[in-house]
Amino acid sequence: MTDLRTQATEIHEQFSDQLDISVDDVEERLDTLVNEYKVPLSEARRSVTNTYLDEAGMERDELGGGAGSGNEQVEIADVDAPEEWIDVTAKVTELWDATSDAVAQVGLLGDETGTIKFTKWSKSDLPDLEEGKVYHLRNVVTDEYEGRYSVKLNRTTVIEERDEDIEVGSDDVTVEGALVDIQSGSGLIKRCPEEDCTRVLQNGRCNEHGEVEGEFDLRIKGVLDDGNEVHEILFNKEATEDLTGITLEEAQEMAMDALDTSVVADEMRADLLGKYYRITGPTFRRYVLVDDVEQLSDPTDAEAVLIKARSI
Amino acid sequence: MATTPTREVARRVFAGEFNDAHYTFKESDDERAPVYLLLPTGERANRVFIVGTLMETEDVGDDSEYWQGQVIDPNGDRYYMYAGQYQPDAASMLRELEPPAYISVVGKPRTYETDDGDVNVSVRPESITEVDAATRDRWVVETAERTLERIQHYQAETDEDGDGATVDEYVAMAQEEYDLPVENYRRQVVEALESLEAEEGVAAEAGDA
Ligand SMILES: [Zn+2]
């Protein structure tokens, strides 16, 4: 089967109970988008799915992964796109306090390849997961925010406890080097407040939603360089506050005093550039997302290098 | 689709080797193509990272401010850097800093011809930050390591075991343009590291007293 046909079949399965459509109908829509309008297949699939959701008057949450368990059993490190229906077998490594009534449980799932955040909605009416237990979770849907993936348990999810243990692994990378650049778009920024948008505003404008009242956030887009390789690194609000000691509130005050948000990035540049750091975190596209950062200020061992220098 | 151009690595090179370099080139005819300085150890440098002691600053501009900074490495060799109105942050750092001070500099190599026809190399800083002694010491060891790697690569490529053909294009270019003995740079590495150990020794003795 062609890619288009496979995708069309999957979409068709999701709506076969609600809508009177054929696989050919779905494939035709996909074909128009992909071959006539040059839309990437994943985007085309999203668009066609949204059209059918509207037609059926359904919410995305209500969408199953198709008849039976047609999903792929996925390892956590392989989750690399939002809005995909997958099955995972994983251990609950952490449970956190839910910050909203809409959320019944939130925490971390882990398998041999890594960990991922999960959210279970209150309205999905699912049994509680217990920390330290292993579950086979069928029909969870992936999501992404700022490059970090998560899975959502919804009312179509099937939870099966497994009598086994999993040695939870990590897909984090560690990189070291001098921080040689803090790029534009760092420091105190404003994000679009529209639901699921979160784009960074340029002069008060969102690329998608035009002029909006932005919400303040902190981040650093930096470049770590060891003389052989460069790594682009991304600090979210927490990591930025951690590294700089400047909280979001303090950053807003600094900007207000100076009548200019760029003072925040300027101060960060003056403090951080040209120093050495070790950074650990997951990767996303070309970025390493910073979970852990340590400034390298210990003396290094010159002796070993000197021995080598004398020997060649 | 537009792809993000790959960011150029900032090379680590002691001032002795840096100042021996004078040959620059581009990889394509495109006007915006990056300019590379060819290092005598056979590597191209579009950007450098330097940590050292700022020894002198001076406004050498005529009409507008044009700041020169001199940074010394452990061997006593100096990097020269220039920042004017197009590098306002670096220029204001050079205006405000009081030598001596440890600084780190990220910048681009630039060459210029002197009145008597020599080609000199300098740094156009992108950023200058004041740092501590530990950062400087780490840079010395790192620069020693990177330089040794280049030397070993150069030696492997130019090893005489038959046809003598050099495969690496930058090593070949360095032979062609400079033909300087890389042994000089190995000696600079040894001296730089020995000076670190000497400093440590002095610090340890001071601690014992
Ligand atoms: Zn928006």
Side-chain angles (χ1 to χ4, degrees), chain A residues 192 194 197 206 208-209:
Chain A
C192 177
E194 291 288 320
C197 180
C206 168
E208 183 76 24
H209 301 100

Side-chain angles (χ1 to χ4, degrees), chain A residues 115-135:
Chain A
T115 58
I116 194 166
K117 179 185 159 186
F118 79 91
T119 306
K120 196 186 80 188
W121 301 112
S122 303
K123 68 175 178 191
S124 18
D125 219 12
L126 292 167
D128 274 345
L129 303 182
E130 279 179 54
E131 202 168 310
K133 285 197 171 157
V134 173
Y135 298 93

